Amino acid sequence: MTDPSEKRMRTMTQAPWEDAVLRLLEDVYTFAATGPRTLAGWQRDALAVMNREVDDPRGWITLDWDKDNDEERTGSRPCYPFVPLPEAGLGSRLYPVTAETAARLLVEMTYEWGPVGTEEQTRAALADARTVLDRYGDRVSCYSNVTEAAKTPSPDLTNGVTGWAPLTEFIGDFGFVVASSEEVGVFWSFDAR
């Protein structure tokens, strides 16, 4: 018998996924990349994505505003704009969140930290966010640096993101890691003012 999440991952195709990612994140300062899962654990796999050590296993789009920023991304800091973190440092700044919270965080990124647009715009953005997350299947673990997630995996984001455990030196940053058995995605938003 086939695992339903495996079937969902197989049926997700490149074009709808990339279209959803671009509609959500193309016009805002974000980082959106996926890498393979390994036996090393999701923290190490997420750091490999953040350090640009791995490519998308399917060859799908990556949004990386700092990819060509050689001035900041020297050999000593390939993770820019993220600060260099060990696995424990990453794990201590991220809290478990539900997949629905991760979808809502994608919407917050679209609207540059909230509050979001009209009800119709929010519905469309949530549909795109769920399409993005569908790539990873039904059995995922999600982790965010949003401080409200320290209290609950389903924080109230009605008023936008109001606190975070920083992963950059910017005035603000928030995002999430989504990990499946096959892939790990890193979706992050930056306020560099």
Side-chain angles (χ1 to χ4, degrees):
M1 181 172 206
T2 304
D3 180 346
S5 63
E6 289 176 18
K7 182 179 180 193
R8 189 176 214 176
M9 286 173 60
R10 283 196 310 264
T11 59
M12 173 56 65
T13 58
Q14 184 175 2
W17 188 82
E18 289 183 349
D19 289 347
V21 168
L22 289 172
R23 278 191 299 271
L24 289 168
L25 303 175
E26 183 176 38
D27 295 330
V28 292
Y29 185 14
T30 55
F31 178 85
T34 299
R37 278 299 307 273
T38 69
L39 296 176
W42 72 266
Q43 294 97 333
R44 185 173 294 169
D45 295 338
L47 288 171
V49 172
M50 294 162 75
N51 288 323
R52 298 164 179 90
E53 296 169 357
V54 295
D55 293 321
D56 187 296
R58 301 185 200 195
W60 294 4
I61 193 170
T62 294
L63 298 181
D64 184 354
W65 282 45
D66 292 296
K67 179 180 177 184
D68 298 321
N69 188 346
D70 295 332
E71 185 177 321
E72 297 293 344
R73 289 189 58 234
T74 64
S76 62
R77 191 157 170 207
C79 59
Y80 183 85
F82 300 102
V83 295
L85 290 169
E87 287 175 54
L90 179 66
S92 70
R93 295 176 193 213
L94 300 181
Y95 313 104
V97 294
T98 65
E100 189 59 25
T101 296
R104 184 66 185 189
L105 288 169
L106 277 171
V107 173
E108 295 294 328
M109 290 177 198
T110 301
Y111 290 96
E112 299 185 286
W113 300 55
V116 298
T118 67
E119 189 175 324
E120 183 178 326
Q121 291 169 323
T122 301
R123 273 197 307 273
L126 271 172
D128 280 342
R130 290 179 182 123
T131 296
V132 170
L133 291 173
D134 280 350
R135 168 187 179 153
Y136 304 95
D138 294 329
R139 294 183 180 175
V140 296
S141 298
C142 300
Y143 307 90
S144 177
N145 69 327
V146 174
T147 52
E148 287 297 311
K151 301 173 194 168
T152 176
S154 299
D156 180 7
L157 298 173
T158 305
N159 296 317
V161 174
T162 57
W164 52 89
L167 268 65
T168 71
E169 295 170 353
F170 291 154
I171 193 169
D173 68 86
F174 79 90
F176 66 92
V177 172
V178 56
S180 72
S181 62
E182 301 292 322
E183 298 175 315
V184 60
V186 178
F187 295 86
W188 228 262
S189 179
F190 310 103
D191 184 353
R193 288 179 278 167

